[in-house]
């Protein structure tokens, strides 16, 4: 239990520092007091002093990570027409309307008055031409600040961008020019360009909406899926299959393990090969917080297997969350990271109870029913902790989700594997990939058609009224107290139903 208290203390410190006006001086004082109490406290509750210490250090880490708005920050030109020169800092977020590019400014100012500048700017650009990390752009337009929410329950877009270090944006640039002497391309730029090439190959292998689905589960790009199909997946509670998650990493890890065994590769060379491939795949799919969390967990599990130690799932999850928030404390507010971590924790905590509950029913002794039970167990267990957060943010309660996940989830690994084979074939020789694509088209069509059919009934999903955040915290407190009351100790690895796809 000590590890969970220490990690929760660290996360709570970041959350409190980011949500309140607590000063670093008070946090530093709390850290000194807790540190001095550790050697004095000899009782079994010594972990409490350590948890307070982690709380204070986590809050201090948040304050250290805050951007410093110096005199050269681009925010000083807010609400004016400027021209800026900057470098694309990360993979642009592309959708059906265009691409959102984050630039790190090097020069900025009113037209004809360029000065040294610093800071991140979000620029909304048309979908073409595509831009990649490392590109240097000259952009002209009106620099504005994000508007605050009009109502307390509205999404705070200004706070969302501020947590990414973005204080200003250009919504409608008047001119965009890619400089003739761009900065030398770095590794992520090459990966991003190759990812775009793979997307174009997939579009030539499959018709829509199967192509958009294959792009989502392989490359992590959600743009291009027709709105009717997107709504169908949202209504049936299966939108999670459209994004890259730990499931994809477990499939990659299984393939690499099989390859290493086939070529009789020793443990440590196999470990470094698998580690390199998984992290290249993480960068290849956009390196979001949820993807990096899954890659970290998969890497830690792989390391534990290599050194022949038992990899306890709780320790892996907590270590991944701690490492991510240590690198960037703002990750704690990333919704994808929150849902991914909560889904994994929910499987660990409620997988076994859900399995026992379903075992009370009489199931036919057949491999198909066993697969159905596993899918239903994972779906219901993951919903315990993720459903309240999804209702708070989206207000959509899918009643058809259990049935949809039973019919769709088992086919996703098959669709992913066959689509990957078709993509690799298409990269080698396009006609060869087109010859393989009909085999992958079958599971892709099953997934999309089942989602479309199950989303048709009027009762498939209900709209939940907006509720305050304190009610969300109350629900989680009730869930946590109920779980702790039944299980005073953390479950051992064999007590949790942890499908490999959720690593």
């Amino acid at each position: 239990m000590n590890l969970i208290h220490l990690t929760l203390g660290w996360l709570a410190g970041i959350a409190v520092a980011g949500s309140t006006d607590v000063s670093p001086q008070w946090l530093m004082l709390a850290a000194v007091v807790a540190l001095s109490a550790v050697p004095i406290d000899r009782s079994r509750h010594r972990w409490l002093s350590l948890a307070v210490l982690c709380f204070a250090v986590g809050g201090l880490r948040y304050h250290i990570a805050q951007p410093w708005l110096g005199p050269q920050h681009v925010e000083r030109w807010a609400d004016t027409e400027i021209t800026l020169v900057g470098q694309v800092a990360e993979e642009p977020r592309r959708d059906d309307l265009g691409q959102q590019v984050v630039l790190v400014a090097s020069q900025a100012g009113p037209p004809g008055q360029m000065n040294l500048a610093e800071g991140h700017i979000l620029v909304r650009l048309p979908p073409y031409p595509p831009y990649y990390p490392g590109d240097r752009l000259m952009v002209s337009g009106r620099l504005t600040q994000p508007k605050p929410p009009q109502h307390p329950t509205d999404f705070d877009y200004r706070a969302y961008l501020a947590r990414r270090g973005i204080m200003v944006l250009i919504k409608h640039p008047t001119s965009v020019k890619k400089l003739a002497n761009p900065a030398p391309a770095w590794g992520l730029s090459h990966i991003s360009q190759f990812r775009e090439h793979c997307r174009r190959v997939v579009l030539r292998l499959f018709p829509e909406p199967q192509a958009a689905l294959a792009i989502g589960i392989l490359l992590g790009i959600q743009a291009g899926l027709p709105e009717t199909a997107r709504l169908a997946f949202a209504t049936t509670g299966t939108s999670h299959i459209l994004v890259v998650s730990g499931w994809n990493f477990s499939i990659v890890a299984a393939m690499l393990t099989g390859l290493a065994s086939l070529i009789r590769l020793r443990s440590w060379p196999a470990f470094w090969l698998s580690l390199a491939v998984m992290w290249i795949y993480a960068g290849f799919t956009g390196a979001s917080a949820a993807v990096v969390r899954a890659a970290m967990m998969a890497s830690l599990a792989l390391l534990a297997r290599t050194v022949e130690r038992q990899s306890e799932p709780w320790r892996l999850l907590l270590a991944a969350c701690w490492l991510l928030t240590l690198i960037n404390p703002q990750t704690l507010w990333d919704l994808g990271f929150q849902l991914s971590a909560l889904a994994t924790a929910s499987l660990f905590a409620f997988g076994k109870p859900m399995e026992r509950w379903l075992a009370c029913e009489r199931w036919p002794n057949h491999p198909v029913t066993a697969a159905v039970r596993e899918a239903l167990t994972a779906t219901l267990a993951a919903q315990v902790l993720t459903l309240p957060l999804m209702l708070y943010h989206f207000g959509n309660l899918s009643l058809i989700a259990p049935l949809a996940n039973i019919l769709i989830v088992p086919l996703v690994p098959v669709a992913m594997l066959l689509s990957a084979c078709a993509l690799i074939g298409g990269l080698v020789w396009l006609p060869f990939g087109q010859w393989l694509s009909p085999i992958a088209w079958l599971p892709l069509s099953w997934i999309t058609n089942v989602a479309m059919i199950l989303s048709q009934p009027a009762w498939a999903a209900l709209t939940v009224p907006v509720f305050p955040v304190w009610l969300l915290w109350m629900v989680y407190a009730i869930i946590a107290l109920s779980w702790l009351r039944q299980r005073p100790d953390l479950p051992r690895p064999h007590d949790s139903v942890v499908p490999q796809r959720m690593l």
Side-chain angles (χ1 to χ4, degrees), residues 174-498:
T174 55
S175 68
V176 180
K177 180 181 179 181
K178 184 176 179 180
L179 299 184
N181 54 340
W186 40 295
L188 190 58
S189 175
H190 291 298
I191 294 175
S192 180
Q193 294 180 37
F194 180 63
R195 184 187 187 198
E196 176 64 18
H197 175 64
C198 291
R199 186 187 72 85
R200 294 175 181 174
V201 170
V202 172
L203 289 174
R204 299 184 65 179
L205 296 180
F206 302 102
E208 293 291 2
Q210 288 79 15
L213 177 59
I215 290 171
I217 63 177
L218 284 180
L219 310 179
I221 302 174
Q222 301 181 52
L225 191 69
E227 188 63 23
T228 54
R230 195 189 308 274
L231 290 175
F233 283 106
T235 301
T236 56
T238 53
S239 297
H240 58 89
I241 71 171
L242 302 178
V243 296
V244 174
S245 65
W247 191 349
N248 305 74
F249 283 94
S250 65
I251 295 175
V252 172
M255 294 175 61
L256 292 172
T257 301
L259 177 63
S261 177
L262 182 64
I263 62 177
R264 297 182 179 180
L265 197 63
R266 293 185 178 182
S267 58
W268 280 108
F271 167 76
W272 292 113
L273 173 64
S274 301
L275 197 67
V277 172
M278 284 194 295
W279 282 101
I280 291 174
Y281 181 63
F284 180 72
T285 54
S288 66
V291 168
V292 175
R293 179 206 61 82
M296 281 187 175
M297 286 196 66
S299 301
L300 292 172
L302 188 63
L303 177 61
R305 188 182 305 117
T306 303
V307 299
E308 297 181 351
R309 291 185 179 179
Q310 190 179 35
S311 56
E312 297 185 22
W314 282 103
R315 294 182 182 273
L316 297 180
L317 175 61
L318 294 172
C321 292
W322 178 77
L323 283 172
L324 280 173
T325 52
L326 176 65
I327 296 170
N328 181 13
Q330 302 290 358
T331 301
L332 191 62
W333 283 269
D334 185 281
L335 182 59
F337 164 77
Q338 294 173 2
L339 290 173
S340 178
L342 284 175
T344 307
S346 192
L347 279 168
F348 296 164
F350 301 101
K352 193 65 176 181
M354 199 64 67
E355 184 183 41
R356 288 196 299 264
W357 178 65
L358 292 175
C360 295
E361 304 295 329
R362 294 185 177 181
W363 296 78
N365 188 15
H366 193 275
V368 175
T369 57
V372 169
R373 280 183 60 183
E374 181 184 353
L376 186 59
T377 298
T379 300
L380 296 178
Q383 292 289 322
V384 176
L385 292 181
T386 58
L387 184 59
L389 187 63
M390 289 191 293
L391 293 180
Y392 175 76
H393 283 285
F394 307 115
N396 182 62
L397 176 60
S398 177
L399 302 180
I400 204 73
L403 177 61
N405 279 271
I406 289 175
L407 296 177
I408 290 177
V409 165
L411 269 296
V412 175
V414 179
M416 181 182 173
L417 181 60
L418 295 179
S419 299
C421 292
L423 172 59
I424 294 172
L427 292 173
V428 175
W429 187 41
L430 184 62
F432 181 54
Q434 292 172 336
W435 181 77
L436 294 174
S437 61
I439 305 175
W441 177 86
L442 293 173
L444 292 172
S445 297
W446 172 271
I447 293 170
T448 53
N449 289 331
V450 168
M452 295 288 289
I453 293 172
L454 293 182
S455 66
Q456 295 303 314
W459 52 266
L462 300 178
T463 301
V464 178
V466 177
F467 55 90
V469 67
W470 63 263
L471 185 57
L472 176 67
W473 285 111
M474 182 180 293
V475 171
Y476 277 120
I478 294 173
I479 294 174
L481 290 175
S482 301
W483 177 66
L484 290 174
R485 188 176 176 184
Q486 295 182 6
R487 304 185 70 111
D489 298 323
L490 282 177
R492 305 298 297 177
H494 61 270
D495 288 334
S496 299
V497 176
V498 188

Side-chain angles (χ1 to χ4, degrees), residues 8-282:
L8 291 179
W10 167 272
L11 297 177
I14 295 175
V16 171
S19 306
T20 64
D21 295 329
V22 59
S23 66
Q25 290 79 6
W26 285 109
L27 291 170
M28 195 171 299
L29 178 61
V32 172
V33 173
L35 185 61
S36 61
V38 170
I40 298 175
D41 188 1
R42 300 294 183 180
S43 67
R44 61 177 181 176
H45 298 297
R46 186 180 182 183
W47 59 263
L48 183 59
S49 299
L50 294 173
V52 173
L53 177 62
C54 290
F55 175 90
V57 175
L60 290 172
R61 177 66 184 95
Y62 173 83
H63 283 289
I64 293 173
Q66 297 310 298
W68 182 68
L69 305 182
Q72 296 180 339
H73 198 278
V74 291
E75 189 183 23
R76 68 176 174 144
W77 288 293
D79 299 321
T80 59
E81 295 286 336
I82 72 164
T83 298
L84 64 90
V85 175
Q87 184 174 351
V88 180
E90 60 186 47
E91 175 76 18
R93 300 189 178 188
R94 299 179 175 87
D95 53 31
D96 299 333
L97 301 178
Q99 52 187 326
Q100 297 183 8
V101 179
V102 177
L103 295 179
V104 178
S106 58
Q107 293 178 297
Q113 301 179 20
M114 299 290 285
N115 302 286
L116 293 177
E118 60 184 9
H120 290 69
I121 308 97
L122 179 66
V123 185
R124 297 178 179 173
L125 300 175
Y128 295 100
Y131 298 104
Y132 305 99
D135 290 345
R136 291 183 67 241
L137 307 178
M138 177 179 288
V139 182
S140 299
R142 186 171 183 82
L143 196 67
T144 60
Q145 292 180 318
K147 294 181 179 180
Q150 297 181 352
H151 303 285
T153 56
D154 292 346
F155 176 67
D156 194 342
Y157 189 56
R158 172 181 285 187
Y160 167 75
L161 289 181
R163 297 194 188 283
R164 297 174 56 194
I166 302 171
M167 306 299 176
V168 287
L169 51 86
I170 299 179
K171 294 182 180 179
H172 306 288
T174 55
S175 68
V176 180
K177 180 181 179 181
K178 184 176 179 180
L179 299 184
N181 54 340
W186 40 295
L188 190 58
S189 175
H190 291 298
I191 294 175
S192 180
Q193 294 180 37
F194 180 63
R195 184 187 187 198
E196 176 64 18
H197 175 64
C198 291
R199 186 187 72 85
R200 294 175 181 174
V201 170
V202 172
L203 289 174
R204 299 184 65 179
L205 296 180
F206 302 102
E208 293 291 2
Q210 288 79 15
L213 177 59
I215 290 171
I217 63 177
L218 284 180
L219 310 179
I221 302 174
Q222 301 181 52
L225 191 69
E227 188 63 23
T228 54
R230 195 189 308 274
L231 290 175
F233 283 106
T235 301
T236 56
T238 53
S239 297
H240 58 89
I241 71 171
L242 302 178
V243 296
V244 174
S245 65
W247 191 349
N248 305 74
F249 283 94
S250 65
I251 295 175
V252 172
M255 294 175 61
L256 292 172
T257 301
L259 177 63
S261 177
L262 182 64
I263 62 177
R264 297 182 179 180
L265 197 63
R266 293 185 178 182
S267 58
W268 280 108
F271 167 76
W272 292 113
L273 173 64
S274 301
L275 197 67
V277 172
M278 284 194 295
W279 282 101
I280 291 174
Y281 181 63

